[in-house]
Structure formats: C-alpha cells, structure tokens
Amino acid sequence: MAMSSCKRPVIAIVGATGTGKSRLAVELAARFNGEIINGDAMQLYDGLPIITNKISLHDQQGIPHHLLGCVKLDEEPWTVEGFVREGSRAIRDIQSRGCLPILVGGTHYYIQALLSQYAGRAFESSGAAAGAKTGTGTASEAEHLTFDELHRRFPILTAPSEEIWARLKEVDPVMANRWHPSDRRRVHRSLTIYLTTGQRASEWYEEQRQAKPAPEDVPDAAPADHPTRIPLRSLSAQASILILWIHVPPDVLHERLDARVHGMLERGLLSEIGTLHAHRPAPHPPPHDPGQAVDKTRGIWVSIGYRQFEAFYHALGAGTASSAELGALKQEAIFRTQVATRQYAKQQTGWIRQKLAQAVTTAGLSGRFFVLDGGGREVEQWRERVFQPAADLVARLLAGHTLPAPATVCPGMVELLAPRHDWDISDRPDLWVRQSCEICGTVALTERAWTLHVQGRRHRRARRQRRRRSLALVIRPTDASGSDDGGLDRAATDDDQDLNQDGLEAS
C-alpha cells in the first residue's frame, strides 16, 4: 500500500531493547510499502552484528534499511546533529519515491531530535539539542574539528573524568552540578561547548528554554506555518507523525534479555570483542594516557558486552588462568552483561516516560502517541496486541482518517502515556541539587534521586555496616561475673532496632 491522503507521513517505533521494534518495523514496511531508517547509535557501525544486536539480512526480508552499518570503525563517531542531518536526508529520499519512512531504534534522544524537525522546538529535548550544538559548532569553528583535532587543541578533554569535571566546575558550575563526575560523555560535551564557543552550556540551555513554547501555546493540531512547527529545510508541507511504543513488562523483558546474552555468546560475541581489541584507529594517543590508543568512552566502544567481557577475553588470550578461574570470569562477565542490559532497558523506558511523553504533550501530539503491549509469549499474541493495532493505526493515518484515542488501543497500559511530570528535568535548573553520601560515596543530582538513595537497600546496608563497626570500637561494660555478654546483648538490641527502623523507612 502506497501513501495516499496523508501528506508526508513518518512512523517512529520506540521501546526498550528486546521488545521487538525491528520486527514490527519490517512487518509494517512489508504491508505499507515502507523503508526503514535505523535509529540505534550502535547499529550505525559497520559489521559487529552480535554485540550491536543488528537485524540480520534474513530478518530484513528484503526491506531497504537506511543508516544501518554505514559508519566504519575508524571513522569519527556520529553526533546527534550528524544523525539528524543524515536521517532527514533519508526521509526525503524515501518520501520522494512515494514510500513510507519508518524510523526505529533504541537511541531515543536521536529519534526525538530527528522528529523535532517536524514537530518543532517544543518537541526537542534540551539534552539532545546540546549534543547537536557540539556537533554543529554553532557560533564557533567546532563544526570543522574532528575529535582528534579537538583533543589536540584542548588537551584537558583527554584528562581523567574527574579533572574534566573539575575544569567544568570552574567555568560552568551550573552544568557541573547537573552531571556526575564519572559521566564522562556529558561532562565532556558541556566543557566542549564552552571551549569551542566561549559560551557556557548552562547559558545555551537557558536560551533554549526561553525559546521553547509553553504547552498551552501549542494547539493540538497546529498548522505547518505555526511558529512552534519547524519543518525540514527542504519540505514545504508538515509531516504527519505517528509514534508507536512497544512496551514489555519488566519481568517478561528481563527474562528475554538474560537469554539473549547467552545467545550472543553462542553466535560469536567473543570473536567480535577480539575484532574490537585488534582495532586501533586513533593515530595519536591521548597525552594524559599514552598507553591508550582508543577513546573507549564513546562510539562503538560503549556497546554493552565489550567492557563486561574484557577481563575474561584478556585472561583467555593470556592462557595463564586455570579452567576454574576462566569459568568464574566468564560467569561474572555474563552476569555483568545481563545487569547492564537490564539497566539500559530501564533507562530507555525512563527516557520515553520522562522525556518523550512530556515532549509529545508539549508539542500537542498526544493523539499520535500509542503504546502497544509486547509482553505476549505466543505468535498470536504478537499479532493481536502489537502488529494488528499498529497496522490499523498506520492504515488510518495514510487514509487521512481520524485516529482512535490512545486509551482505546491498549487500555491496560494507557497510564504509561501520561508524562510523569509536566516539565523536563533539563529545563529545570532549580531542581539540579547535588548531594554526596559520605557513607556510600554516591552522588545524587536531584532531590528525588537523593531521597531514593537514602531509602534504598544499598544505603541502608552500608549504614548498618558502619554502625556495627562503630559499636565494635566501643569498650563494652562487663557484668558482676566479669562477662561482657551484657554489652553484646545491648549492641545486638541496638542493631535490631536499627533494622526495624530501616524497615519502617523503606515502607
């Protein structure tokens, strides 16, 4: 089915890793004469299909895929701005041939930045915008600097993360309070904005906040020439956006993801890790770390599985570890990869609920945002809960018909579509409250994060351990018989009371 009454439709499929996004994209493309645009940052890289979970040629079913495997390992990693530029070009190309562009992937800030070209500034995340700024070099010459050139010109950017954060704190304390010192990518980005533009990132954020319209200023169906709508440069008509979110309950998703890690090993994960280890693209090692020839904090090097299996891979190659030691290292690597994958899935879902949902509401696109239940274990459940509802929505969009209310498509999950807040944390510097826990060493960046930490199991356990160590240093009184059992009893009683109190706090 080709496009008909609807002008320039764009379908976006989002969701956590392992929810079936690529499968749905292929099925919809086959039904509606579509072509797929990859929106996953790791799948931009050529080769390495296992560690990036890239869709196989067989599963692509002959559907054209754009921006998939298009970046060589020795090329400069893409920025948000680069993705938006190339994604926009792919959309124009697909639409020029009368086909349906289907954007799919798990790098949601990439997808949101690209969709903002249609939905306008109200739809854009400030975080993604800041990433685009470092790529474009707006108001500076950074546009023409490669990462190596940037590092040679500003050596501080190759320093350890704590040093980069300390420098950021000197020049832009507001942004330093926004990021954790170990969050190298974001700290690096904020400092780069200052070094290459002479403008603090916090000031640029504020400009974006001032330019972004309030939710009440955006009509539900704003025309193409409405000031909140910013069409692509070469488009004369506003696109019709449809966003499909495949959600899988955490218990079901975690089971799938754990099994997927074992499948990756069986298909040759270690071979791909070896490929990455053998690759040394950077001609000039960072001056602060002469032995490191590759910046492993960005690009393909942050793929889940690479860092987690690094110790096992080195031990396997050295040939000095015993079978028992190798077995233990392998199990630890599997466990760490599974944990990292589950955490990543949680972060992806969090972005959708906190960033994307709020942007959809602000841009007046709530009627184009649908959640689908991907938790079924059987083929028929997939067709009933995911494919058929999605196909019906796309068909109605292409025909120019009114879409049903999102609440009627998946009533059991409709509460997920409502943004958790009517604001984006990136737009609320008044909520950036940095607090450090002297017991755990944890750094919280918002009041809510601090509250969750002090009520969390890890903090309560660390506090109990600290209290026990303190009690052990106290000289305990003895009873008349010379026994110190009474002191031990009192210490145990105090600890029991602490445990009870912790239970009350947790509840």
Side-chain angles (χ1 to χ4, degrees):
M1 178 187 295
M3 293 186 294
S4 55
S5 302
C6 177
K7 285 189 176 182
R8 302 187 183 277
V10 176
I11 311 299
I13 302 174
V14 299
T17 184
T19 55
K21 298 184 298 295
S22 295
R23 174 182 176 182
L24 179 61
V26 169
E27 291 175 345
L28 291 178
R31 171 73 68 91
F32 297 103
N33 188 30
E35 297 185 14
I36 295 170
I37 302 171
N38 166 51
D40 187 292
M42 294 300 102
Q43 294 180 10
L44 291 169
Y45 291 93
D46 184 32
L48 308 174
I50 300 171
I51 201 168
T52 62
N53 286 293
K54 195 175 299 175
I55 185 171
S56 67
L57 283 174
H58 176 268
D59 290 338
Q60 291 178 30
Q61 298 182 20
I63 302 297
H65 280 65
H66 303 260
L67 307 188
L68 188 69
C70 59
V71 180
K72 301 295 183 183
L73 291 181
D74 55 357
E75 288 184 40
E76 192 73 11
W78 280 19
T79 61
V80 177
E81 187 270 343
F83 174 79
V84 170
R85 181 182 61 249
E86 296 304 320
S88 301
R89 185 176 298 162
I91 289 174
R92 292 194 298 270
D93 174 57
I94 293 169
Q95 291 176 334
S96 70
R97 290 181 276 101
C99 298
L100 176 65
I102 301 175
L103 178 61
V104 59
T107 308
H108 294 132
Y109 68 98
Y110 273 27
I111 291 177
Q112 186 168 331
L114 178 53
L115 291 180
S116 72
Q117 300 295 299
Y118 293 91
R121 187 169 294 167
F123 195 80
E124 187 173 45
S125 163
S126 297
K133 182 179 179 70
T134 59
T136 60
T138 303
S140 81
E141 57 199 319
E143 179 179 6
H144 305 293
L145 293 177
T146 67
F147 213 67
D148 286 338
E149 291 169 340
L150 193 67
H151 282 179
R152 284 196 292 271
R153 182 165 183 178
F154 305 107
I156 182 62
L157 295 176
T158 68
S161 298
E162 288 282 352
E163 291 184 26
I164 300 178
W165 182 85
R167 175 61 173 151
L168 178 64
K169 187 176 181 180
E170 291 177 6
V171 300
D172 193 351
V174 174
M175 287 311 301
N177 279 336
R178 177 73 179 97
W179 308 130
H180 192 285
S182 63
D183 191 347
R184 185 180 183 89
R185 181 174 63 86
R186 291 186 174 93
V187 173
H188 184 288
R189 184 173 65 197
S190 295
L191 184 57
T192 299
I193 290 176
Y194 174 78
L195 294 175
T196 59
T197 71
Q199 182 183 25
R200 294 183 179 91
S202 57
E203 295 172 345
W204 192 80
Y205 271 109
E206 184 59 32
E207 291 177 4
Q208 297 303 302
R209 284 191 287 272
Q210 295 297 330
K212 188 180 291 187
E216 60 269 18
D217 296 333
V218 184
D220 213 23
D225 58 354
H226 189 276
T228 65
R229 303 296 194 220
I230 306 175
L232 290 167
R233 295 182 181 88
S234 62
L235 294 182
S236 59
Q238 177 66 24
S240 294
I241 296 173
L242 176 64
I243 304 174
L244 305 174
W245 171 18
I246 307 177
H247 179 70
V248 177
D251 57 336
V252 178
L253 182 60
H254 290 174
E255 182 180 331
R256 291 183 190 177
L257 297 178
D258 287 350
R260 189 171 73 178
V261 173
H262 289 284
M264 291 167 65
L265 275 172
E266 293 172 0
R267 297 197 311 274
L269 173 62
L270 291 181
S271 176
E272 290 193 358
I273 292 175
T275 299
L276 286 173
H277 272 291
H279 189 72
R280 294 293 181 268
H284 304 288
H288 286 266
D289 189 1
Q292 168 98 2
V294 178
D295 181 359
K296 296 182 180 179
T297 67
R298 60 197 294 265
I300 190 64
W301 309 99
V302 298
S303 295
I304 295 176
Y306 174 72
R307 181 168 54 86
Q308 289 78 10
F309 271 89
E310 200 166 15
F312 172 70
Y313 179 84
H314 282 306
L316 189 64
T320 57
S322 66
S323 297
E325 290 171 333
L326 283 175
L329 285 172
K330 183 176 182 179
Q331 290 306 310
E332 175 66 15
I334 292 173
F335 173 74
R336 292 178 61 205
T337 304
Q338 290 173 333
V339 170
T341 306
R342 294 195 297 265
Q343 290 174 338
Y344 179 54
K346 183 178 180 180
Q347 292 168 2
Q348 289 175 302
T349 301
W351 180 282
I352 296 173
R353 297 199 65 188
Q354 297 174 22
K355 299 269 191 179
L356 184 59
Q358 194 274 333
V360 164
T361 300
T362 301
L365 294 172
S366 297
R368 299 291 182 88
F369 184 35
F370 295 83
V371 63
L372 306 169
D373 181 4
R377 302 174 186 273
E378 305 297 332
V379 174
E380 286 306 314
Q381 290 176 317
W382 170 268
R383 291 193 59 81
E384 177 185 347
R385 301 178 185 179
V386 180
F387 173 70
Q388 200 55 57
D392 290 344
L393 289 168
V394 174
R396 294 182 70 88
L397 180 74
L398 296 181
H401 296 160
T402 302
L403 298 180
T408 65
V409 175
C410 187
M413 292 186 171
V414 68
E415 73 281 356
L416 296 174
L417 296 175
R420 290 178 172 175
H421 313 288
D422 59 358
W423 41 265
D424 186 331
I425 187 64
S426 297
D427 296 333
R428 293 290 303 275
D430 57 303
L431 299 178
W432 302 351
V433 182
R434 179 186 178 83
Q435 299 181 76
S436 300
C437 178
E438 63 176 13
I439 298 176
C440 309
T442 297
V443 176
L445 304 177
T446 65
E447 191 62 44
R448 180 175 181 272
W450 176 255
T451 300
L452 290 175
H453 170 69
V454 297
Q455 293 180 350
R457 184 178 305 170
R458 176 189 171 193
H459 174 78
R460 300 197 323 270
R461 181 170 61 246
R463 191 178 66 183
R464 288 195 299 270
Q465 292 173 347
R466 185 180 189 182
R467 187 166 297 172
R468 289 188 183 114
R469 287 194 297 268
S470 298
L471 288 171
L473 296 176
V474 175
I475 299 177
R476 291 163 292 192
T478 59
D479 59 19
S481 64
S483 170
D484 63 353
D485 290 344
L488 290 174
D489 289 342
R490 280 193 295 276
T493 301
D494 290 341
D495 198 45
D496 289 341
Q497 291 173 349
D498 180 52
L499 289 170
N500 292 334
Q501 183 63 30
D502 285 335
L504 290 173
E505 290 175 359
S507 60

